[in-house]
DNA sequence: TATCGATATATGTCGTACATATGTATTTGA
DNA sequence: TCAAATACATATGTACGACATATATCGATA
C-alpha cells in the first residue's frame, strides 16, 4: 500500500468524522499536508482522486469544498465501448430492458395530464414521419419521455448514459419492421393503457413492445 | 479549462486512437509528458485521474497499462450516505424496486433447477428462523439470490452496492409485520410461481410482496 | 547450472519556486 | 462621498530537480 493510499483513507475518515455536507469548505492543501506530515505533492495526488470522484472540487483561489458526488459523470468518462468487454456490454443492454420494465409502477404513480399530452404529441409526429431516421429519433424520444415521467432523476440520467451502448448494440441486431411483426404493440397502444389501463396491463404490453430485444437474451 | 484538463482530453483521444485493449502497456510518464510538451507533474495528475477511474493501472517498475474500468468500484468509494442528498437516496431506493420488478423476465429465461433448490433451501431456513435479525438476513439472501439467478453480473454487483442505502432508508420506515399485512405474499408463493407460473404472475405478486415499499413512493 | 547480487529503470515521494486567478484592501479621481 | 481603478495577498496550478523504492534483467560467483 502506497503513501497516497494511506492518505486517501485518512482523508476519507476525516471527511466522515467532520460531518461535512456539500458546500462546506475544507482546509487548504498545505494545512492538510502538514497535519498528516506528508508532502504537498502526495496530498495533492490524494486530493486529485477525490476531485476525480467528484467528492471535492477546487477553485483557483477560493480553496476546496465538499461537493455532491456524481456517479454518472464518471460513468460517462469510462463507458467507452471499446474498453468494455462484450459481457459487460450485454449486461448493460439487459439492464436497460430491466429498467424499462421496472419503472412502470413509477409511471402510474407519477403520470400527469401534461405528460400524457407530451406523449400524444410525440406519437402524432411519429405517425407522420416519413424517414427511418426521423422515426428512430421519435422512438427514442418516446422512451426518454417515459423515463422523465418516472420522476426519478437518477434513473433518467442513467438511461441517457446507457443510450450509446444500446445504440451500439443495435447495429448487430436485425430488427424486424412493424409489418413483419404480427402482434406489434405500438406506442399509441401503450399510451392508451397509460391513460386508462393498469400497471399490469402496461407491463405486459411493454414486454411485447420490447419483445425483439428480449428474444436476443439467452 | 486548465492545462491538466487538456492533457486528460488528449490522453483520452490517444487511448482511443491507439485501439488499446485491457492489458496493453502504455508509454512511460516522461515520454508522455515530453510528447505533449508538458511537465511530468501535470501529466501525472492527468494520469492519476485515469487511475482513479480505473482506466489505467501502474506498477512500481513495470510501467502503466490499460485496464478494464470498473464503475462499481468507484461507486463504492462515493456511496457515503452522509454525502448524498435525500433526493438521490430516494432515487436509489426507487431504483432498487425498479430493478427488482424488472429482472423478472431474466429470471424466467435463466432459472435452473439448482436455483430453485437454493431458494427452497433459504425459505426453509427462513420459516424455521426464530430471531428477527436472522429472518432479515435470510430475507436479504432470498432477494440476493434472485439477482444471482438473473445471470447479470453487472446488476448483481449493482444491487450489492445499493444494499447499504436500502438498509439505511429502512430505518426510517415502519414495516408492517406479516401478521399485520392482510394479503402478504410470502417467498414461498413467489417460489411456486417461479417454478410453475408465468412471468406476468410473478411480477404481479412481486409487486404485492414489495407493496410496503411502493406505498412509500409519492 | 543455479543462485545470489549488482544495476538499470519506471513509478512514488519530496521540496522549492513561480504562475495564475480571485478576493480584499487601498488608492485615486470626479 | 462614492465609484472605479489599482495594488496586494492568497490558494491552487504548473514546473523542475532530486532522491526513494520496488522490480526486472543481466552478470558474477560458487
Amino acid at each position: 500500500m502506497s503513501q497516497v493510499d494511506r492518505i486517501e483513507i485518512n482523508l476519507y475518515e476525516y471527511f466522515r468524522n467532520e460531518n461535512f455536507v456539500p458546500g462546506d469548505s475544507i482546509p487548504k492543501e498545505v494545512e492538510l499536508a502538514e497535519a498528516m506530515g506528508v508532502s504537498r505533492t502526495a496530498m495533492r495526488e490524494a486530493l486529485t482522486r477525490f476531485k476525480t470522484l467528484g467528492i471535492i472540487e477546487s477553485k483557483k483561489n477560493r480553496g476546496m469544498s465538499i461537493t455532491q458526488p456524481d456517479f454518472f459523470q464518471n460513468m460517462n468518462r469510462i463507458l467507452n465501448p471499446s474498453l468494455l468487454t462484450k459481457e459487460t456490454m450485454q449486461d448493460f443492454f439487459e439492464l436497460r430492458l430491466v429498467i424499462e420494465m421496472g419503472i412502470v409502477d413509477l409511471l402510474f404513480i407519477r403520470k400527469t395530464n401534461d405528460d400524457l399530452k407530451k406523449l400524444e404529441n410525440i406519437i402524432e409526429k411519429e405517425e407522420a414521419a416519413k424517414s427511418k431516421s426521423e422515426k428512430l429519433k421519435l422512438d427514442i424520444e418516446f422512451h426518454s419521455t417515459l423515463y422523465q415521467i418516472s420522476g426519478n432523476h437518477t434513473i433518467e440520467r442513467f438511461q441517457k448514459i446507457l443510450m450509446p451502448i444500446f445504440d451500439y448494440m443495435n447495429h448487430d441486431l436485425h430488427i424486424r419492421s412493424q409489418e413483419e411483426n404480427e402482434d406489434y404493440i405500438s406506442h399509441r397502444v401503450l399510451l392508451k393503457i397509460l391513460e386508462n389501463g393498469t400497471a399490469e396491463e402496461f407491463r405486459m404490453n411493454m414486454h411485447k413492445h420490447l419483445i425483439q430485444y428480449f428474444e436476443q437474451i439467452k
Side-chain angles (χ1 to χ4, degrees), chain A:
Chain A
M1 199 195 256
S2 75
Q3 169 94 288
V4 175
D5 289 331
R6 278 190 295 273
I7 299 176
E8 183 187 343
I9 292 170
N10 285 340
L11 271 181
Y12 196 79
E13 273 301 302
Y14 169 68
F15 290 156
R16 293 213 327 179
N17 291 337
E18 294 286 318
N19 267 344
F20 284 128
V21 295
D24 289 354
S25 61
I26 61 177
K28 40 200 177 193
E29 293 178 345
V30 278
E31 283 174 11
L32 289 172
E34 276 169 18
M36 284 193 200
V38 296
S39 73
R40 192 182 154 213
T41 310
M43 176 56 69
R44 263 185 74 82
E45 186 167 328
L47 289 169
T48 296
R49 293 187 186 177
F50 285 106
K51 287 179 205 167
T52 306
L53 293 172
I55 293 175
I56 65 176
E57 112 189 311
S58 60
K59 278 177 185 165
K60 203 67 195 247
N61 181 37
R62 308 195 35 133
M64 297 176 291
S65 57
I66 301 286
T67 54
Q68 168 88 353
D70 184 343
F71 327 93
F72 298 117
Q73 184 189 319
N74 291 340
M75 206 160 182
N76 248 337
R77 295 210 263 182
I78 61 181
L79 268 189
N80 180 342
S82 69
L83 289 179
L84 293 180
T85 62
K86 227 172 169 178
E87 198 206 344
T88 304
M89 295 273 288
Q90 173 70 23
D91 281 358
F92 279 115
F93 180 80
E94 291 172 15
L95 181 52
R96 190 262 199 176
L97 294 177
V98 165
I99 293 179
E100 200 113 359
M101 291 297 293
I103 57 170
V104 171
D105 291 291
L106 295 181
L107 297 182
F108 274 81
I109 291 173
R110 299 200 169 127
K111 63 176 177 176
T112 67
N113 281 334
D114 280 353
D115 294 330
L116 299 175
K117 265 181 218 150
K118 194 169 175 189
L119 289 174
E120 170 68 34
N121 209 276
I122 294 169
I123 292 173
E124 274 169 17
K125 277 190 206 161
E126 208 177 357
E127 288 167 345
K130 291 281 193 307
S131 73
K132 210 166 178 179
S133 69
E134 197 178 353
K135 279 187 181 177
L136 181 66
K137 188 174 148 275
L138 288 158
D139 177 55
I140 292 173
E141 201 178 330
F142 181 86
H143 286 273
S144 299
T145 305
L146 291 185
Y147 283 93
Q148 262 173 253
I149 297 173
S150 81
N152 187 310
H153 289 293
T154 301
I155 293 178
E156 196 184 340
R157 295 198 54 202
F158 201 26
Q159 183 261 355
K160 282 211 178 78
I161 287 161
L162 256 41
M163 193 102 78
I165 291 190
F166 205 68
D167 222 48
Y168 181 83
M169 292 195 70
N170 253 343
H171 289 301
D172 295 340
L173 301 178
H174 168 62
I175 300 300
R176 295 194 294 276
S177 67
Q178 293 182 207
E179 291 75 34
E180 293 175 79
N181 201 347
E182 282 287 314
D183 42 25
Y184 176 75
I185 298 295
S186 68
H187 287 163
R188 183 161 292 288
V189 173
L190 289 176
L191 175 56
K192 281 240 173 70
I193 298 173
L194 187 57
E195 284 171 342
N196 306 310
T198 66
E200 286 81 36
E201 277 181 80
F202 194 90
R203 259 195 297 265
M204 276 179 56
N205 284 278
M206 177 60 96
H207 186 270
K208 279 187 193 161
H209 180 69
L210 298 171
I211 189 67
Q212 306 197 71
Y213 301 115
F214 277 110
E215 282 170 356
Q216 303 295 326
I217 300 176
K218 300 176 204 72

